[in-house]
Amino acid sequence: MEKAVRLMQPITRSPAVHLCFRAARPAMGRALASLGTRRTFKVFSMAQEDEGAWMVVGLGNPGQKYHGTRHNIGFALVDSLAMSEGISMDKQQEKAAVGRGTLAGRSVMLVKPQTFMNRSGQSVGALARYYKVPLERVLVVADDLDTPLGALRLRAKGSNAGHNGMRSVQSSMGGSTAFPRLRLGIGRPAGGRDVADFVLQPFSRQEREVAEVGLAEAVDVVRAVLTLGLQKAISGVRVDAQGKQYAVQAPPKATGTKRKAGTGEAEAASSTPPEAVAQV
């Protein structure tokens, strides 16, 4: 597995979590310690039509207010990929932060829509059309309440599962669900806590450790998708930074109940734009 961006500042791990973290990612500590150091970014120009190019889209909300929140774990994955491959995310195009380069030897565009969660499709659809990237090569990464924290789910297609960011992307693709999606688990709040509040809050100290292990695996999932194909990656095969393959067990079954269409809307506190909250 690969280096992942710290969701927050460095913390002291408990012994039990530390063992799990070390087993999942032997070199993670050194990778995370490198954050904040000066990086040299690659300069890459992707043609408007580049056969075989992929778009990897992380969903989230723009601004420091939402940095490190559960809802922005899609942004965190894109940041991890950009750091690992030296891809600059400084370019702004179609209301999105965009980085273009190579990942595992494949042309890739990393995208973080800056439109707030529920309008993510405005950027994704426009970029896919401009660069002529087919639906099957637009990988959308988002948080998922019904997947346990630290777990992930990769699918070749599917419903929006009540996630308004995913629903917006689906709408921008003419209503099609035939684009791959990687769901990163954040779990559901305990004790009847309001979901809208939960997703817009940062992870606790213990949660961050578990989430970062999941992010590290997610980086290797993206590498596997690009080099081996979706079906191999879905089956549990991963590719690390050195190009070595390894396998993981099938993810646990999703928790919670299925949501009916249209139940993804949520009202947030008065200081939070409603479009920043994507699921309930």
Side-chain angles (χ1 to χ4, degrees):
M1 288 186 285
E2 175 56 26
K3 59 186 81 170
V5 169
R6 270 286 189 193
L7 297 174
M8 297 294 287
Q9 294 299 317
I11 57 177
T12 302
R13 302 186 182 91
S14 65
V17 175
H18 177 74
L19 289 175
C20 173
F21 189 79
R22 185 174 58 184
R25 185 56 177 151
M28 180 68 73
R30 294 192 301 275
L32 294 177
S34 69
L35 291 179
T37 58
R38 186 170 298 178
R39 298 298 300 263
T40 300
F41 292 106
K42 302 172 185 176
V43 177
F44 181 86
S45 177
M46 189 166 83
Q48 184 172 345
E49 185 172 7
D50 187 350
E51 185 176 356
W54 277 79
M55 275 179 57
V56 180
V57 182
L59 301 188
N61 291 306
Q64 189 61 33
K65 175 180 178 180
Y66 301 104
H67 177 73
T69 61
R70 297 177 178 89
H71 225 15
N72 272 34
I73 199 168
F75 274 15
L77 177 59
V78 167
D79 289 340
S80 294
L81 290 167
M83 170 167 280
S84 70
E85 303 303 319
I87 298 175
S88 171
M89 295 295 297
D90 292 341
K91 181 179 176 62
Q92 294 287 321
Q93 185 177 357
E94 300 293 351
K95 301 179 182 178
V98 174
R100 298 190 299 240
T102 57
L103 177 63
R106 303 295 192 274
S107 297
V108 67
M109 174 186 292
L110 304 179
V111 178
K112 296 196 301 182
Q114 302 294 294
T115 55
F116 284 100
M117 181 68 81
N118 294 356
R119 299 172 183 171
S120 300
Q122 294 179 9
S123 300
V124 180
L127 287 167
R129 287 188 291 273
Y130 181 79
Y131 288 102
K132 298 181 173 61
V133 182
L135 287 181
E136 62 269 21
R137 292 204 302 272
V138 179
L139 176 61
V140 182
V141 185
D143 60 299
D144 187 47
L145 284 164
D146 289 332
T147 299
L149 179 66
L152 52 85
R153 295 182 174 279
L154 177 66
R155 296 289 183 268
K157 58 183 179 179
S159 71
N160 56 55
H163 192 291
N164 283 349
M166 200 71 75
R167 179 182 287 116
S168 177
V169 173
Q170 179 180 329
S171 177
S172 76
M173 301 297 189
S176 175
T177 62
F179 57 90
R181 68 279 319 277
L182 177 58
R183 300 184 184 277
L184 305 182
I186 62 172
R188 279 193 173 268
R193 183 177 175 186
D194 181 66
V195 170
D197 177 67
F198 175 76
V199 299
L200 295 179
Q201 293 298 315
F203 290 101
S204 68
R205 293 180 61 189
Q206 186 175 7
E207 287 173 334
R208 285 201 303 274
E209 294 183 347
V210 180
E212 285 164 2
V213 173
L215 276 174
E217 182 186 344
V219 169
D220 291 351
V221 169
V222 175
R223 284 201 185 92
V225 169
L226 270 58
T227 58
L228 304 176
L230 270 170
Q231 293 308 313
K232 279 281 190 181
I234 290 172
S235 72
V237 180
R238 310 288 183 251
V239 177
D240 67 16
Q242 288 71 46
K244 296 180 180 179
Q245 299 180 26
Y246 66 95
V248 298
Q249 294 181 343
K253 293 183 179 180
T255 60
T257 58
K258 292 184 178 180
R259 289 170 295 232
K260 296 180 180 179
T263 61
E265 301 292 341
E267 292 297 329
S270 59
S271 61
T272 301
E275 61 268 26
V277 188
Q279 59 190 133
V280 296

